[in-house]
Amino acid sequence: MKLLEVQNMTTYYKLKEGYVRACENISLHLEQGEALGLVGESASGKTTAALSLIKLLPENAQVMGGSIRINNRDIAGASEEELRSIRWKEIAIIFQGAMNALNPVRRIGAQIVEALRIHEKMTEKEACYRAAELFEKVEIDPARVREYPHEFSGGMRQRAMIAMAIACSPKIVIGDEPTTALDVMVQAQVLQLLEQLRRERQMGMILITHDLSVVGETCDRVAVMYAGRIVESGLTETVFEKPAHPYTQALIAAFPNIEGERYLASSIPGNPPNLLYPPAGCRFHERCGQAYARCSEEEPLAVELSNRHNASCHLLQGRVRI
Amino acid sequence: MNHNSNNHSLLSVSGLEVHFAVRTGFLTSLISKNDSLVRAVDGLGFSLGRGEILCLAGESGSGKTTTGKAILRLIEPTGGEVLFKDEDVCRFNRSKLRKFRQEAQIIFQDPYESLNPRQTVFATVAEPLEVNRICHSIKEKEERVEEALCDAGLSNPRELFIRYPHELSGGQRQRLAIASALVLKPKFIVADEPVSMLDLSIRAGILKLMVDLRDNKGISYLFITHDLSLAWLVSDRIAIMYLGKIVELGDADAVIKSPMHPYTKALVSVIPVPKRISLIGKTLLKGETPDPINIPAGCRFHPRCPEVQPRCRVEEPFYREAEPGRFGACHFI
């Protein structure tokens, strides 16, 4: 069952100088119980894409078109009221800096209770009971619901954020760099917890990250973003083993592999383009080692390389589906 | 080259300690007798050969940055000895310290924070020359700055002179920070997480630059990172820190491929590889690094150690050479 289906979603930010084309023509879908990784470097538009899904964008952002369907319900034209009923109950988000996302002057338990009372219409008592249960679920001592965010360590805060995100049993959870600020060991603990919860509750999950390793450890499918576009998508194994787009190839080559040879891969020359004035044609052509005349003129379309493996590059145009 | 013998080493650290007193309130100080101390660095030693890259790896709170700063005396060590070219840095007076800091430089993690946003590229790189009164003519200064920018891999350095940091990309900023470290022609650089703020695609360029500088100019590095795969890629030897002490030190390949200490084993087991690997069913270390105010008795790792024995709770293991060139602090290695 498709939990989420996004087609040609385009979001621009309006600035004095013009429009920043933060993400363009994003199409993706998510099945029940599935985890999708959205990877990209900073400023590739991955967070904008996620925020567009639940309409939590800043005021100067404009969703220019496309459709977003959550559980077969189009939310592109939904009112603020309708959106409020969707957020938390159907789709929830875990942000990167738990310290910024939690209210520092309120007890963590109280913050969860508040969400439960508003969205699930529970009584105070029921909500408190539920909050303690959720704490147990994310492996925090339930006695600590009465503590404040600063009394928690980084990993525990992120766990508390997860508890909050799953409080109203959403069908989709979006994690926006949920483990970026954490230590390696704590990161592994948090990712393991997320995967357990996803399997138990058959939730769909979108993980936004700049870190390919997070994708490898948690996601069934991956979509690689560059300069506001999805350049390649497919099953995680396929993309790791047979990356098709030159950008994905370079990213994976830059990933140190302790099981492989010990050498420093060369970096991708140049910098990502300014999305106020994106280059014509393929957005990667200025940094691509394999670019030819056509790349700077014509925008490449997605090519289906094999089952569920797509990439947008002119070099692949001749390759038909295997 | 034997990096462990003192004769060849550029830097030799022994028993280094950095303890911070914790300010307590008046009432608390009446109740508890002893002042609490944060033992950020608690007696560690290693040596660094000429042209060697030694990596100090560990989780946050393990004291790796404090170690790097204490060696340069940016934080005063509270104990121990730091020998640089066989002279004790801890005993340097002001003028000797100034000379020492021309040879020993530091690169910080965040090139967005470590550069003065109101200084041009030229002013940033020329500042160390001015502070140390090295160049006397403007022409000479310009040449030195140009050379440093070139060495840091920035093309068209003269055109960059009048730029401000905000006009540069992340990678260029970090190169600028490196250039301002290089301008004094140092022999030793502490690189504190130099690439962790940068995107994967530009990381490799910075790392390559650092390795090239070692190869061409013989610069030694103390490379501080939390990322073990990165440590393995660039360094000759790796030292793993836990709560202010080194728990294992050895050749980079050996530490990653056959770790001895249970903590290293745990860290190595979570190094990501470019594959689809599920974390379900994987045994991970429980909890997080404890508070360095209350360091556990016995082996400081014992509360989290999967291989803990009764002895570990009471007796602190010695840091010793278990195999030639491989050091560790565990009763069972």
Side-chain angles (χ1 to χ4, degrees), chain A residues 41-42 153 183 185 189 191-192 195 213 216-217 219-220 257-259 262-265 267-268 271, chain B residues 59-60 169 199 201 204-205 208 232-233 235 257 266 272 275-279 282 284-285 287-288:
Chain A
E41 293 177 281
S42 32
S153 69
D183 265 324
M185 193 57 72
Q189 291 166 357
L191 291 177
Q192 196 180 44
E195 188 147 353
S213 65
E217 282 167 346
C219 299
D220 306 314
N257 181 5
I258 58 158
E259 288 170 2
R262 203 175 132 185
Y263 76 102
L264 270 173
S267 58
I268 306 174
N271 293 295
Chain B
E59 291 176 283
S60 47
S169 69
D199 274 321
S201 70
K208 216 170 203 143
W232 172 74
L233 271 187
S235 59
K257 298 278 162 79
K275 266 190 203 162
R276 173 81 177 102
I277 291 174
S278 176
L279 283 166
K282 204 165 187 171
L284 300 172
L285 281 188
E288 293 173 49

mmCIF file of all heavy atoms in Angstrom, chain A residues 41-42 153 183 185 189 191-192 195 213 216-217 219-220 257-259 262-265 267-268 271, chain B residues 59-60 169 199 201 204-205 208 232-233 235 257 266 272 275-279 282 284-285 287-288:
data_model
loop_
_atom_site.group_PDB
_atom_site.id
_atom_site.type_symbol
_atom_site.label_atom_id
_atom_site.label_comp_id
_atom_site.label_asym_id
_atom_site.label_seq_id
_atom_site.Cartn_x
_atom_site.Cartn_y
_atom_site.Cartn_z
ATOM 1 N N GLU A 41 24.234 16.541 -0.387
ATOM 2 C CA GLU A 41 25.126 17.406 0.374
ATOM 3 C C GLU A 41 24.335 18.587 0.903
ATOM 4 O O GLU A 41 23.160 18.740 0.596
ATOM 5 C CB GLU A 41 26.247 17.884 -0.541
ATOM 6 C CG GLU A 41 27.155 16.752 -0.950
ATOM 7 C CD GLU A 41 28.201 17.226 -1.917
ATOM 8 O OE1 GLU A 41 27.895 17.381 -3.096
ATOM 9 O OE2 GLU A 41 29.321 17.459 -1.472
ATOM 10 N N SER A 42 25.017 19.456 1.658
ATOM 11 C CA SER A 42 24.296 20.618 2.151
ATOM 12 C C SER A 42 23.843 21.436 0.953
ATOM 13 O O SER A 42 24.508 21.480 -0.077
ATOM 14 C CB SER A 42 25.175 21.452 3.085
ATOM 15 O OG SER A 42 26.510 21.378 2.727
ATOM 16 N N SER A 153 21.234 13.492 28.143
ATOM 17 C CA SER A 153 22.392 13.539 27.248
ATOM 18 C C SER A 153 21.884 13.648 25.809
ATOM 19 O O SER A 153 20.686 13.490 25.553
ATOM 20 C CB SER A 153 23.208 12.271 27.419
ATOM 21 O OG SER A 153 22.487 11.182 26.914
ATOM 22 N N ASP A 183 27.473 10.979 18.678
ATOM 23 C CA ASP A 183 28.664 10.151 18.567
ATOM 24 C C ASP A 183 28.366 8.864 17.810
ATOM 25 O O ASP A 183 27.232 8.414 17.781
ATOM 26 C CB ASP A 183 29.126 9.766 19.970
ATOM 27 C CG ASP A 183 30.180 10.708 20.466
ATOM 28 O OD1 ASP A 183 30.982 11.143 19.634
ATOM 29 O OD2 ASP A 183 30.194 11.008 21.662
ATOM 30 N N MET A 185 28.784 5.694 18.409
ATOM 31 C CA MET A 185 28.118 4.599 19.106
ATOM 32 C C MET A 185 26.660 4.945 19.378
ATOM 33 O O MET A 185 25.769 4.139 19.167
ATOM 34 C CB MET A 185 28.874 4.313 20.415
ATOM 35 C CG MET A 185 28.492 3.029 21.077
ATOM 36 S SD MET A 185 28.694 1.586 20.019
ATOM 37 C CE MET A 185 30.459 1.447 19.950
ATOM 38 N N GLN A 189 23.093 3.304 18.114
ATOM 39 C CA GLN A 189 21.992 2.950 19.025
ATOM 40 C C GLN A 189 20.669 3.555 18.549
ATOM 41 O O GLN A 189 19.640 2.874 18.509
ATOM 42 C CB GLN A 189 22.272 3.479 20.440
ATOM 43 C CG GLN A 189 23.404 2.783 21.167
ATOM 44 C CD GLN A 189 23.849 3.560 22.416
ATOM 45 O OE1 GLN A 189 23.350 4.635 22.706
ATOM 46 N NE2 GLN A 189 24.787 2.997 23.148
ATOM 47 N N LEU A 191 19.864 4.662 15.510
ATOM 48 C CA LEU A 191 19.414 4.093 14.245
ATOM 49 C C LEU A 191 18.810 2.708 14.454
ATOM 50 O O LEU A 191 17.816 2.349 13.826
ATOM 51 C CB LEU A 191 20.572 4.015 13.251
ATOM 52 C CG LEU A 191 21.090 5.352 12.716
ATOM 53 C CD1 LEU A 191 22.275 5.136 11.805
ATOM 54 C CD2 LEU A 191 19.998 6.100 11.980
ATOM 55 N N GLN A 192 19.414 1.950 15.363
ATOM 56 C CA GLN A 192 18.892 0.615 15.651
ATOM 57 C C GLN A 192 17.472 0.726 16.220
ATOM 58 O O GLN A 192 16.571 -0.002 15.808
ATOM 59 C CB GLN A 192 19.813 -0.078 16.657
ATOM 60 C CG GLN A 192 19.606 -1.570 16.735
ATOM 61 C CD GLN A 192 20.550 -2.196 17.760
ATOM 62 O OE1 GLN A 192 20.728 -1.678 18.859
ATOM 63 N NE2 GLN A 192 21.155 -3.308 17.389
ATOM 64 N N GLU A 195 15.000 1.549 13.550
ATOM 65 C CA GLU A 195 14.684 0.422 12.678
ATOM 66 C C GLU A 195 13.756 -0.562 13.395
ATOM 67 O O GLU A 195 12.816 -1.090 12.792
ATOM 68 C CB GLU A 195 15.969 -0.267 12.204
ATOM 69 C CG GLU A 195 15.679 -1.311 11.157
ATOM 70 C CD GLU A 195 16.779 -1.454 10.118
ATOM 71 O OE1 GLU A 195 17.721 -0.647 10.141
ATOM 72 O OE2 GLU A 195 16.675 -2.371 9.296
ATOM 73 N N SER A 213 26.398 6.420 5.016
ATOM 74 C CA SER A 213 26.461 5.248 5.885
ATOM 75 C C SER A 213 25.139 5.036 6.604
ATOM 76 O O SER A 213 24.718 3.909 6.833
ATOM 77 C CB SER A 213 27.595 5.398 6.881
ATOM 78 O OG SER A 213 27.341 6.470 7.742
ATOM 79 N N GLY A 216 22.925 3.197 4.285
ATOM 80 C CA GLY A 216 23.295 1.790 4.172
ATOM 81 C C GLY A 216 22.814 0.975 5.353
ATOM 82 O O GLY A 216 22.484 -0.201 5.209
ATOM 83 N N GLU A 217 22.767 1.614 6.523
ATOM 84 C CA GLU A 217 22.378 0.865 7.711
ATOM 85 C C GLU A 217 20.879 0.802 7.932
ATOM 86 O O GLU A 217 20.410 -0.042 8.687
ATOM 87 C CB GLU A 217 23.072 1.472 8.946
ATOM 88 C CG GLU A 217 24.519 1.040 9.021
ATOM 89 C CD GLU A 217 25.330 1.833 10.023
ATOM 90 O OE1 GLU A 217 24.865 2.878 10.485
ATOM 91 O OE2 GLU A 217 26.446 1.381 10.336
ATOM 92 N N CYS A 219 18.137 2.048 5.327
ATOM 93 C CA CYS A 219 17.124 2.269 4.289
ATOM 94 C C CYS A 219 17.041 1.156 3.261
ATOM 95 O O CYS A 219 18.048 0.613 2.833
ATOM 96 C CB CYS A 219 17.400 3.590 3.573
ATOM 97 S SG CYS A 219 17.324 4.970 4.684
ATOM 98 N N ASP A 220 15.804 0.862 2.855
ATOM 99 C CA ASP A 220 15.596 -0.126 1.801
ATOM 100 C C ASP A 220 15.877 0.493 0.438
ATOM 101 O O ASP A 220 16.437 -0.132 -0.428
ATOM 102 C CB ASP A 220 14.147 -0.614 1.817
ATOM 103 C CG ASP A 220 13.751 -1.113 3.184
ATOM 104 O OD1 ASP A 220 14.542 -1.869 3.757
ATOM 105 O OD2 ASP A 220 12.676 -0.729 3.684
ATOM 106 N N ASN A 257 36.108 2.869 2.776
ATOM 107 C CA ASN A 257 35.640 1.506 2.995
ATOM 108 C C ASN A 257 36.740 0.709 3.663
ATOM 109 O O ASN A 257 37.746 0.370 3.049
ATOM 110 C CB ASN A 257 35.274 0.898 1.635
ATOM 111 C CG ASN A 257 34.761 -0.512 1.772
ATOM 112 O OD1 ASN A 257 34.583 -1.020 2.888
ATOM 113 N ND2 ASN A 257 34.512 -1.143 0.643
ATOM 114 N N ILE A 258 36.554 0.387 4.941
ATOM 115 C CA ILE A 258 37.632 -0.294 5.664
ATOM 116 C C ILE A 258 37.813 -1.739 5.202
ATOM 117 O O ILE A 258 38.775 -2.384 5.558
ATOM 118 C CB ILE A 258 37.461 -0.255 7.193
ATOM 119 C CG1 ILE A 258 36.142 -0.879 7.606
ATOM 120 C CG2 ILE A 258 37.589 1.143 7.741
ATOM 121 C CD1 ILE A 258 36.164 -1.350 9.037
ATOM 122 N N GLU A 259 36.851 -2.224 4.414
ATOM 123 C CA GLU A 259 37.026 -3.582 3.893
ATOM 124 C C GLU A 259 37.756 -3.557 2.565
ATOM 125 O O GLU A 259 38.132 -4.586 2.025
ATOM 126 C CB GLU A 259 35.656 -4.253 3.717
ATOM 127 C CG GLU A 259 35.036 -4.608 5.057
ATOM 128 C CD GLU A 259 33.593 -5.057 4.922
ATOM 129 O OE1 GLU A 259 33.091 -5.133 3.788
ATOM 130 O OE2 GLU A 259 32.985 -5.318 5.971
ATOM 131 N N ARG A 262 43.156 0.936 1.070
ATOM 132 C CA ARG A 262 43.346 2.162 1.820
ATOM 133 C C ARG A 262 43.911 3.224 0.895
ATOM 134 O O ARG A 262 45.101 3.278 0.655
ATOM 135 C CB ARG A 262 44.324 1.857 2.945
ATOM 136 C CG ARG A 262 44.220 2.806 4.097
ATOM 137 C CD ARG A 262 45.124 2.359 5.187
ATOM 138 N NE ARG A 262 45.909 3.476 5.651
ATOM 139 C CZ ARG A 262 46.874 3.385 6.541
ATOM 140 N NH1 ARG A 262 47.192 2.216 7.044
ATOM 141 N NH2 ARG A 262 47.543 4.446 6.904
ATOM 142 N N TYR A 263 43.055 4.047 0.345
ATOM 143 C CA TYR A 263 43.552 5.141 -0.483
ATOM 144 C C TYR A 263 42.576 6.304 -0.410
ATOM 145 O O TYR A 263 41.403 6.139 -0.098
ATOM 146 C CB TYR A 263 43.746 4.694 -1.931
ATOM 147 C CG TYR A 263 42.462 4.573 -2.710
ATOM 148 C CD1 TYR A 263 42.081 5.562 -3.612
ATOM 149 C CD2 TYR A 263 41.625 3.477 -2.530
ATOM 150 C CE1 TYR A 263 40.893 5.458 -4.309
ATOM 151 C CE2 TYR A 263 40.440 3.375 -3.220
ATOM 152 C CZ TYR A 263 40.074 4.362 -4.110
ATOM 153 O OH TYR A 263 38.888 4.275 -4.780
ATOM 154 N N LEU A 264 43.096 7.475 -0.681
ATOM 155 C CA LEU A 264 42.257 8.668 -0.651
ATOM 156 C C LEU A 264 41.660 8.904 -2.026
ATOM 157 O O LEU A 264 42.381 9.123 -2.993
ATOM 158 C CB LEU A 264 43.104 9.880 -0.276
ATOM 159 C CG LEU A 264 43.231 10.201 1.202
ATOM 160 C CD1 LEU A 264 44.236 11.310 1.385
ATOM 161 C CD2 LEU A 264 41.900 10.597 1.781
ATOM 162 N N ALA A 265 40.349 8.846 -2.106
ATOM 163 C CA ALA A 265 39.692 9.082 -3.391
ATOM 164 C C ALA A 265 39.814 10.553 -3.740
ATOM 165 O O ALA A 265 39.954 11.396 -2.862
ATOM 166 C CB ALA A 265 38.230 8.694 -3.296
ATOM 167 N N SER A 267 38.473 14.178 -4.855
ATOM 168 C CA SER A 267 37.195 14.815 -4.552
ATOM 169 C C SER A 267 36.571 15.330 -5.837
ATOM 170 O O SER A 267 37.220 15.425 -6.869
ATOM 171 C CB SER A 267 37.403 15.951 -3.571
ATOM 172 O OG SER A 267 38.293 16.876 -4.105
ATOM 173 N N ILE A 268 35.288 15.689 -5.749
ATOM 174 C CA ILE A 268 34.605 16.253 -6.907
ATOM 175 C C ILE A 268 35.061 17.702 -7.027
ATOM 176 O O ILE A 268 34.967 18.457 -6.067
ATOM 177 C CB ILE A 268 33.080 16.192 -6.715
ATOM 178 C CG1 ILE A 268 32.637 14.762 -6.385
ATOM 179 C CG2 ILE A 268 32.356 16.724 -7.931
ATOM 180 C CD1 ILE A 268 31.169 14.630 -6.043
ATOM 181 N N ASN A 271 32.198 23.441 -6.697
ATOM 182 C CA ASN A 271 31.196 23.518 -5.646
ATOM 183 C C ASN A 271 29.805 23.380 -6.246
ATOM 184 O O ASN A 271 29.613 23.651 -7.421
ATOM 185 C CB ASN A 271 31.292 24.868 -4.940
ATOM 186 C CG ASN A 271 32.581 24.989 -4.173
ATOM 187 O OD1 ASN A 271 32.814 24.257 -3.228
ATOM 188 N ND2 ASN A 271 33.429 25.901 -4.623
ATOM 189 N N GLU B 59 35.224 9.188 21.246
ATOM 190 C CA GLU B 59 33.919 9.836 21.228
ATOM 191 C C GLU B 59 34.037 11.230 21.832
ATOM 192 O O GLU B 59 35.060 11.582 22.405
ATOM 193 C CB GLU B 59 32.925 9.002 22.025
ATOM 194 C CG GLU B 59 32.591 7.689 21.359
ATOM 195 C CD GLU B 59 31.684 6.842 22.234
ATOM 196 O OE1 GLU B 59 32.168 6.237 23.187
ATOM 197 O OE2 GLU B 59 30.487 6.805 21.954
ATOM 198 N N SER B 60 32.958 11.993 21.743
ATOM 199 C CA SER B 60 33.031 13.319 22.356
ATOM 200 C C SER B 60 33.125 13.143 23.865
ATOM 201 O O SER B 60 32.568 12.215 24.429
ATOM 202 C CB SER B 60 31.824 14.175 21.983
ATOM 203 O OG SER B 60 30.643 13.463 22.130
ATOM 204 N N SER B 169 33.733 29.343 -0.433
ATOM 205 C CA SER B 169 32.959 28.147 -0.117
ATOM 206 C C SER B 169 33.569 27.461 1.106
ATOM 207 O O SER B 169 34.659 27.822 1.554
ATOM 208 C CB SER B 169 32.992 27.200 -1.304
ATOM 209 O OG SER B 169 34.286 26.682 -1.452
ATOM 210 N N ASP B 199 31.330 18.728 3.394
ATOM 211 C CA ASP B 199 30.619 17.686 2.675
ATOM 212 C C ASP B 199 31.584 16.622 2.183
ATOM 213 O O ASP B 199 32.747 16.896 1.912
ATOM 214 C CB ASP B 199 29.888 18.295 1.474
ATOM 215 C CG ASP B 199 28.531 18.820 1.876
ATOM 216 O OD1 ASP B 199 27.871 18.155 2.692
ATOM 217 O OD2 ASP B 199 28.142 19.882 1.382
ATOM 218 N N SER B 201 32.032 15.255 -0.582
ATOM 219 C CA SER B 201 32.696 15.412 -1.872
ATOM 220 C C SER B 201 33.904 16.338 -1.814
ATOM 221 O O SER B 201 34.763 16.274 -2.681
ATOM 222 C CB SER B 201 31.704 15.905 -2.920
ATOM 223 O OG SER B 201 31.347 17.232 -2.660
ATOM 224 N N ALA B 204 37.787 14.842 0.686
ATOM 225 C CA ALA B 204 38.961 14.145 0.183
ATOM 226 C C ALA B 204 40.041 15.123 -0.237
ATOM 227 O O ALA B 204 41.223 14.890 0.006
ATOM 228 C CB ALA B 204 38.559 13.242 -0.979
ATOM 229 N N GLY B 205 39.636 16.250 -0.855
ATOM 230 C CA GLY B 205 40.604 17.237 -1.313
ATOM 231 C C GLY B 205 41.420 17.808 -0.154
ATOM 232 O O GLY B 205 42.636 17.969 -0.259
ATOM 233 N N LYS B 208 43.764 15.112 1.232
ATOM 234 C CA LYS B 208 44.877 14.901 0.317
ATOM 235 C C LYS B 208 45.906 16.008 0.476
ATOM 236 O O LYS B 208 47.109 15.759 0.504
ATOM 237 C CB LYS B 208 44.345 14.886 -1.119
ATOM 238 C CG LYS B 208 45.086 13.914 -1.985
ATOM 239 C CD LYS B 208 44.407 13.717 -3.312
ATOM 240 C CE LYS B 208 44.828 12.379 -3.854
ATOM 241 N NZ LYS B 208 43.794 11.681 -4.550
ATOM 242 N N TRP B 232 41.771 5.854 9.741
ATOM 243 C CA TRP B 232 42.448 4.748 9.068
ATOM 244 C C TRP B 232 43.004 5.179 7.713
ATOM 245 O O TRP B 232 44.096 4.787 7.319
ATOM 246 C CB TRP B 232 41.440 3.601 8.909
ATOM 247 C CG TRP B 232 41.886 2.456 8.095
ATOM 248 C CD1 TRP B 232 42.787 1.502 8.451
ATOM 249 C CD2 TRP B 232 41.431 2.111 6.785
ATOM 250 N NE1 TRP B 232 42.919 0.582 7.443
ATOM 251 C CE2 TRP B 232 42.095 0.940 6.412
ATOM 252 C CE3 TRP B 232 40.507 2.689 5.901
ATOM 253 C CZ2 TRP B 232 41.887 0.314 5.178
ATOM 254 C CZ3 TRP B 232 40.299 2.069 4.683
ATOM 255 C CH2 TRP B 232 40.982 0.898 4.334
ATOM 256 N N LEU B 233 42.249 6.051 7.019
ATOM 257 C CA LEU B 233 42.673 6.491 5.693
ATOM 258 C C LEU B 233 43.935 7.337 5.725
ATOM 259 O O LEU B 233 44.815 7.182 4.888
ATOM 260 C CB LEU B 233 41.578 7.337 5.043
ATOM 261 C CG LEU B 233 40.521 6.637 4.227
ATOM 262 C CD1 LEU B 233 39.649 7.675 3.548
ATOM 263 C CD2 LEU B 233 41.145 5.751 3.168
ATOM 264 N N SER B 235 46.074 8.246 8.604
ATOM 265 C CA SER B 235 47.138 8.278 9.599
ATOM 266 C C SER B 235 48.069 7.078 9.527
ATOM 267 O O SER B 235 47.743 6.038 8.972
ATOM 268 C CB SER B 235 46.539 8.397 10.996
ATOM 269 O OG SER B 235 45.700 7.313 11.239
ATOM 270 N N LYS B 257 42.051 -3.339 11.765
ATOM 271 C CA LYS B 257 41.809 -4.706 11.277
ATOM 272 C C LYS B 257 41.822 -5.736 12.403
ATOM 273 O O LYS B 257 41.121 -6.741 12.327
ATOM 274 C CB LYS B 257 42.841 -5.084 10.200
ATOM 275 C CG LYS B 257 42.786 -4.208 8.949
ATOM 276 C CD LYS B 257 41.693 -4.656 7.998
ATOM 277 C CE LYS B 257 41.287 -3.610 6.977
ATOM 278 N NZ LYS B 257 42.168 -3.464 5.849
ATOM 279 N N ALA B 266 34.480 -2.444 19.865
ATOM 280 C CA ALA B 266 33.109 -1.941 19.744
ATOM 281 C C ALA B 266 33.039 -0.804 18.731
ATOM 282 O O ALA B 266 32.138 -0.756 17.897
ATOM 283 C CB ALA B 266 32.607 -1.471 21.099
ATOM 284 N N PRO B 272 30.857 2.364 9.475
ATOM 285 C CA PRO B 272 30.014 2.037 8.333
ATOM 286 C C PRO B 272 30.807 1.608 7.106
ATOM 287 O O PRO B 272 31.928 2.060 6.901
ATOM 288 C CB PRO B 272 29.273 3.344 8.063
ATOM 289 C CG PRO B 272 30.028 4.395 8.749
ATOM 290 C CD PRO B 272 30.892 3.786 9.785
ATOM 291 N N LYS B 275 27.522 -0.486 2.057
ATOM 292 C CA LYS B 275 26.734 -1.676 1.762
ATOM 293 C C LYS B 275 25.412 -1.538 2.485
ATOM 294 O O LYS B 275 25.277 -0.711 3.366
ATOM 295 C CB LYS B 275 27.430 -2.909 2.352
ATOM 296 C CG LYS B 275 28.346 -3.649 1.428
ATOM 297 C CD LYS B 275 28.723 -4.933 2.101
ATOM 298 C CE LYS B 275 30.027 -5.493 1.580
ATOM 299 N NZ LYS B 275 30.581 -6.465 2.491
ATOM 300 N N ARG B 276 24.481 -2.397 2.157
ATOM 301 C CA ARG B 276 23.237 -2.422 2.917
ATOM 302 C C ARG B 276 23.416 -3.425 4.046
ATOM 303 O O ARG B 276 23.478 -4.633 3.828
ATOM 304 C CB ARG B 276 22.088 -2.854 2.000
ATOM 305 C CG ARG B 276 20.778 -3.073 2.712
ATOM 306 C CD ARG B 276 20.071 -1.756 2.949
ATOM 307 N NE ARG B 276 18.771 -1.998 3.580
ATOM 308 C CZ ARG B 276 18.550 -1.811 4.869
ATOM 309 N NH1 ARG B 276 19.509 -1.394 5.660
ATOM 310 N NH2 ARG B 276 17.356 -2.024 5.374
ATOM 311 N N ILE B 277 23.561 -2.911 5.273
ATOM 312 C CA ILE B 277 23.738 -3.785 6.424
ATOM 313 C C ILE B 277 22.727 -3.379 7.480
ATOM 314 O O ILE B 277 22.694 -2.235 7.902
ATOM 315 C CB ILE B 277 25.168 -3.656 6.998
ATOM 316 C CG1 ILE B 277 26.163 -4.241 6.011
ATOM 317 C CG2 ILE B 277 25.273 -4.366 8.333
ATOM 318 C CD1 ILE B 277 27.588 -4.037 6.412
ATOM 319 N N SER B 278 21.912 -4.315 7.897
ATOM 320 C CA SER B 278 20.914 -3.968 8.896
ATOM 321 C C SER B 278 21.539 -3.956 10.276
ATOM 322 O O SER B 278 22.421 -4.742 10.589
ATOM 323 C CB SER B 278 19.780 -4.972 8.856
ATOM 324 O OG SER B 278 18.882 -4.673 9.881
ATOM 325 N N LEU B 279 21.056 -3.024 11.098
ATOM 326 C CA LEU B 279 21.582 -2.927 12.463
ATOM 327 C C LEU B 279 20.824 -3.837 13.421
ATOM 328 O O LEU B 279 21.195 -3.981 14.570
ATOM 329 C CB LEU B 279 21.460 -1.486 12.961
ATOM 330 C CG LEU B 279 22.478 -0.493 12.430
ATOM 331 C CD1 LEU B 279 22.024 0.917 12.730
ATOM 332 C CD2 LEU B 279 23.837 -0.727 13.063
ATOM 333 N N LYS B 282 22.450 -6.432 15.959
ATOM 334 C CA LYS B 282 23.847 -6.118 16.207
ATOM 335 C C LYS B 282 24.020 -5.732 17.679
ATOM 336 O O LYS B 282 23.209 -4.974 18.215
ATOM 337 C CB LYS B 282 24.237 -4.933 15.319
ATOM 338 C CG LYS B 282 25.702 -4.853 15.032
ATOM 339 C CD LYS B 282 25.917 -3.895 13.877
ATOM 340 C CE LYS B 282 27.348 -3.903 13.421
ATOM 341 N NZ LYS B 282 27.539 -3.162 12.187
ATOM 342 N N LEU B 284 25.466 -3.602 20.450
ATOM 343 C CA LEU B 284 26.108 -2.299 20.541
ATOM 344 C C LEU B 284 26.450 -2.035 21.992
ATOM 345 O O LEU B 284 25.863 -2.616 22.893
ATOM 346 C CB LEU B 284 25.135 -1.219 20.056
ATOM 347 C CG LEU B 284 24.648 -1.330 18.618
ATOM 348 C CD1 LEU B 284 23.562 -0.310 18.364
ATOM 349 C CD2 LEU B 284 25.797 -1.098 17.658
ATOM 350 N N LEU B 285 27.416 -1.156 22.199
ATOM 351 C CA LEU B 285 27.728 -0.745 23.559
ATOM 352 C C LEU B 285 26.526 -0.019 24.135
ATOM 353 O O LEU B 285 25.881 0.762 23.458
ATOM 354 C CB LEU B 285 28.904 0.242 23.567
ATOM 355 C CG LEU B 285 30.300 -0.286 23.431
ATOM 356 C CD1 LEU B 285 31.260 0.859 23.677
ATOM 357 C CD2 LEU B 285 30.567 -1.403 24.412
ATOM 358 N N GLY B 287 24.667 2.666 26.626
ATOM 359 C CA GLY B 287 24.932 3.943 27.280
ATOM 360 C C GLY B 287 25.890 4.843 26.528
ATOM 361 O O GLY B 287 26.218 4.606 25.376
ATOM 362 N N GLU B 288 26.300 5.890 27.223
ATOM 363 C CA GLU B 288 27.205 6.862 26.625
ATOM 364 C C GLU B 288 28.410 7.048 27.530
ATOM 365 O O GLU B 288 28.424 6.564 28.653
ATOM 366 C CB GLU B 288 26.457 8.197 26.443
ATOM 367 C CG GLU B 288 25.349 8.072 25.418
ATOM 368 C CD GLU B 288 24.482 9.321 25.336
ATOM 369 O OE1 GLU B 288 25.040 10.413 25.244
ATOM 370 O OE2 GLU B 288 23.262 9.175 25.351
#
